[in-house]
Amino acid sequence: MKHTLPNLPYLYNALEPYFDEETMKIHHTKHHQAYVDKLNAALDKYPKFQDKKVDELLKELNKIPEEIRTAVKNHGGGHFNHSFWWPMLKKDTKFSGDIAEAIKKKFGSYEEFKKKFTETALSLFGSGWCWLVLNKKELEIMTTLNQDCPISQGKVPVLGIDMWEHSFYVKHRANKPAYLEDFFHVINWEQVNKSYKKG
Ligand code: MN
């Protein structure tokens, strides 16, 4: 079983004017595709691991043969993180449901959460992701470097943002705060509620 690139549940221009069509297209067809291809290439010599889902591989990285462990962490992580991300993006959904209540309880208000999440994302040096995760049923904001995935640390991702330059540089250039601001317009709260319920 080869890993494959998932289709986007919308058109490349669906998140305009916040996320531009060109970035979405390159991000999906080039960057995500490369993670899928390199993950498959790493697993080529290890049939035993080829039938495992990517989250199963990432949950137990210590069981992956040392020769391909870094490749699985990087490219498997890239595949998982982007597969998580695409359906988590949608315009005009409402901050509501159980996750909205939980965020208000944990952070005080939507605005406080947005502020804290933005600060944490902007504090990341280099490439990586900023996440809202469930850590033993508790909401927590965290960052990961490169394509490291929260599930490798036993945490359940609820919401995340790709802080690699390939995710914003065409439109936002070096203006990371503007990218963060736009991101909050395209969070699919229906999907975030689903991820929260799974945790
Ligand atoms: Mn990316």
Side-chain angles (χ1 to χ4, degrees), residues 27 31 35 82 85 129 147 162 164 166-167:
H27 202 167
H31 293 280
Y35 296 124
H82 289 85
W85 209 43
W129 291 70
Q147 293 296 352
D162 188 340
W164 285 58
H166 67 227
S167 191

Side-chain angles (χ1 to χ4, degrees), residues 11-29:
L11 300 173
Y12 290 117
N13 66 5
L15 305 176
E16 292 271 7
Y18 306 109
F19 286 9
D20 63 290
E21 179 173 5
E22 186 186 349
T23 298
M24 291 298 291
K25 192 170 183 183
I26 296 169
H27 202 167
H28 182 243
T29 62

Side-chain angles (χ1 to χ4, degrees), residues 1-6 32 35-40 42-43 48-64 68-85 147-153 157:
M1 183 195 75
K2 294 269 187 197
H3 295 275
T4 54
L5 183 70
H32 190 169
Y35 296 124
V36 170
D37 293 344
K38 288 176 183 171
L39 174 63
N40 285 329
L43 295 172
K48 192 180 147 194
F49 294 94
Q50 287 168 5
D51 286 333
K52 289 195 182 292
K53 287 186 189 161
V54 67
D55 57 328
E56 293 172 326
L57 297 172
L58 294 170
K59 271 179 195 159
E60 297 190 302
L61 279 173
N62 57 330
K63 290 193 178 161
I64 306 293
I68 59 165
R69 196 177 299 151
T70 301
V72 169
K73 181 164 82 110
N74 290 343
H75 305 299
H79 179 34
F80 179 93
N81 293 342
H82 289 85
S83 299
F84 175 84
W85 209 43
Q147 293 296 352
D148 292 358
C149 183
I151 65 172
S152 301
Q153 300 175 35

Side-chain angles (χ1 to χ4, degrees), residues 5 8 24 32 42 76 90 98 132 135:
L5 183 70
L8 293 195
M24 291 298 291
H32 190 169
K90 191 180 178 184
D98 291 345
L132 178 68
N135 180 15

